[in-house]
Amino acid sequence: MDKIMQSRLDRGFLKHQKEYEDKALEVLRSGWYILGKEVENFETEFAEYVGTKYAVGLASGLDALWLAFRVLGIGKGDEVIVQGNTYIASVMGITINDATPVFVEPDEYYQIDVSKIEEKITDKTKAILVVHLYGQAAQMSKVRELCDKYNLKLVEDCAQSHGACFDGKMTGSFGDVGCFSFYPSKNMGAFGDAGAVTTNDEELAKLFKIYRNYGSEKRYHNMVVGANSRLDEMQAGLLRVRLKYIKEITEERTALAEHYAEGICNEYVIKPSVRESATSVWHQYVLRIPEHRDEFKKYLEDNNIMTICHYPIPPHLSQAYEYLGLKEGVLPITEKYAQEVLSLPIYAGMTKEEQDYVISTINAFSL
Ligand SMILES: *Cc1c(COP(=O)(O)O)cnc(C)c1O
């Protein structure tokens, strides 16, 4: 068996190669490369998909996050609640604005533990940032209730959850702002960096368009200190093709996850589960190996199976956030998960042979 990568992007491209290539040529030949009809059409189509009134294309998922807090007026002296076990970009979206992240432990589904949010709310709390980690929607009815009760803004990090739903409603449509990344390895990947925000608020949508273009609506009339965070025509065009197949992509990943769930059986391994009322789009299929995770990872590698830990160092223990003064032990569940999680290979175009080989190798593991 050839080496099985944790993720690979070529097979998803090859599946609809002609359409991607035709679109790329169309954009190249159009002579128009920044903020044109591809971006406009993508924004309309993506908003319709998520179920919001507006979507605004941006340059990355991190830009979506930090610009969300910027347009919501959240900054110095403000606190934002976020789960401890997330990709560091979620936290940077808060701290780029000089606001302070307040971490909450995850639940058994690796989502923010909604029973532990209320105790963290202070009079400085301005927002909750929900991360739908690994592709599973968080418990949104409870989060919505808390935001309403305490008058907090709700921002969703949907970088891993394109298409995931809670109570039949899509992630990215619950909050004031939904933040999306289209980094190539995400479920809905571009062919370079790209991102977007979704919102039902016309004023916020307008602000995002101003901020992404140096703070100007009208050329050379700069209203605020903005950014250069435009989604380009090439990525927007290619994303329109990807969006046509997002249902197929989600179905394929769901089938792969089901096959793992049925096939994997090893006493050292805890498989992921999905909350009632929630769906997962299986951005990652994350096992927990409470003991000997690193031996398990090495064993798979020795058998040509590549895995990744998402994430080995929780943000509050990273060097970047030393200044917050949070020491090891303050988030025991987050820290424990960092030692135990392991993401298996999962990607569009993964063959049955590849997956069966991963399953039988896992099942044969012992110490
Ligand atoms: C990928 C990711 C981001 C950042 O997206 P970029 O497009 O790489 O900036 C943010 N949050 C989460 C949870 C992610 O997985």
Side-chain angles (χ1 to χ4, degrees), residues 63-91:
D63 282 357
L65 286 157
W66 79 260
L67 286 168
F69 293 109
R70 184 67 54 97
V71 304
L72 289 169
I74 292 169
K76 205 168 173 54
D78 297 334
E79 293 177 356
V80 177
I81 287 174
V82 62
Q83 70 200 67
N85 65 326
T86 183
Y87 182 51
I88 201 157
S90 316
V91 183

Side-chain angles (χ1 to χ4, degrees), residues 7-271:
S7 168
R8 51 186 299 170
L9 308 178
D10 53 343
R11 295 209 188 139
F13 161 70
L14 290 170
K15 219 166 184 175
H16 302 290
Q17 179 174 3
K18 179 140 192 345
E19 276 184 79
Y20 290 120
E21 291 180 352
D22 286 350
K23 178 57 82 175
L25 279 177
E26 183 191 328
V27 174
L28 284 174
R29 288 167 180 169
S30 74
W32 191 280
Y33 307 118
I34 297 283
L35 297 184
K37 74 174 186 13
E38 295 295 344
V39 170
E40 264 173 43
N41 286 330
F42 173 68
E43 289 173 340
T44 304
E45 290 158 11
F46 191 64
E48 191 182 314
Y49 171 68
V50 175
T52 54
K53 285 194 195 140
Y54 309 97
V56 179
L58 299 170
S60 74
L62 176 62
D63 282 357
L65 286 157
W66 79 260
L67 286 168
F69 293 109
R70 184 67 54 97
V71 304
L72 289 169
I74 292 169
K76 205 168 173 54
D78 297 334
E79 293 177 356
V80 177
I81 287 174
V82 62
Q83 70 200 67
N85 65 326
T86 183
Y87 182 51
I88 201 157
S90 316
V91 183
M92 288 186 178
I94 299 167
T95 59
I96 286 171
N97 291 292
D98 290 327
T100 305
V102 174
F103 296 107
V104 171
E105 293 269 48
D107 60 22
E108 68 197 280
Y109 305 101
Y110 311 114
Q111 309 309 317
I112 191 165
D113 186 336
V114 291
S115 71
K116 294 180 179 161
I117 294 177
E118 204 158 8
E119 64 201 56
K120 297 286 174 104
I121 295 175
T122 70
D123 46 5
K124 289 181 181 162
T125 310
K126 292 286 153 43
I128 299 177
L129 171 60
V130 171
V131 186
H132 306 289
L133 198 70
Y134 305 147
Q136 179 170 171
Q139 215 297 9
M140 292 312 286
S141 52
K142 185 70 190 172
V143 173
R144 187 68 265 173
E145 199 183 299
L146 287 167
C147 287
D148 292 343
K149 182 170 169 191
Y150 292 96
N151 193 25
L152 305 176
K153 301 292 184 192
L154 172 53
V155 179
E156 296 176 79
D157 183 339
C158 307
Q160 305 188 358
S161 71
H162 317 77
C165 293
F166 185 83
D167 277 342
K169 197 169 140 66
M170 201 175 282
T171 57
S173 69
F174 288 89
D176 295 277
V177 183
C179 303
F180 289 84
S181 166
F182 307 115
Y183 183 76
S185 66
K186 309 292 189 192
N187 285 26
M188 191 175 146
F191 294 79
D193 276 306
V197 285
T198 52
T199 182
N200 286 313
D201 186 322
E202 188 180 0
E203 196 54 36
L204 289 183
K206 205 175 123 189
L207 279 173
F208 281 116
K209 289 188 178 174
I210 290 170
Y211 269 91
R212 76 173 168 190
N213 198 18
Y214 298 112
S216 69
E217 200 172 22
K218 201 171 137 206
R219 191 180 282 194
Y220 305 131
H221 292 257
N222 300 80
M223 302 150 73
V224 288
V225 179
N228 173 357
S229 184
R230 299 171 297 229
L231 175 63
D232 62 66
E233 286 285 284
M234 180 65 80
Q235 298 306 333
L238 295 169
L239 280 167
R240 291 180 68 201
V241 179
R242 191 79 87 186
L243 184 57
K244 280 170 52 183
Y245 298 107
I246 187 68
K247 196 158 169 277
E248 172 186 304
I249 290 166
T250 302
E251 281 167 2
E252 183 177 0
R253 298 184 89 96
T254 303
L256 289 167
E258 277 167 6
H259 194 49
Y260 271 144
E262 284 160 13
I264 294 173
C265 181
N266 186 305
E267 56 175 326
Y268 292 97
V269 167
I270 299 171
K271 290 181 278 188

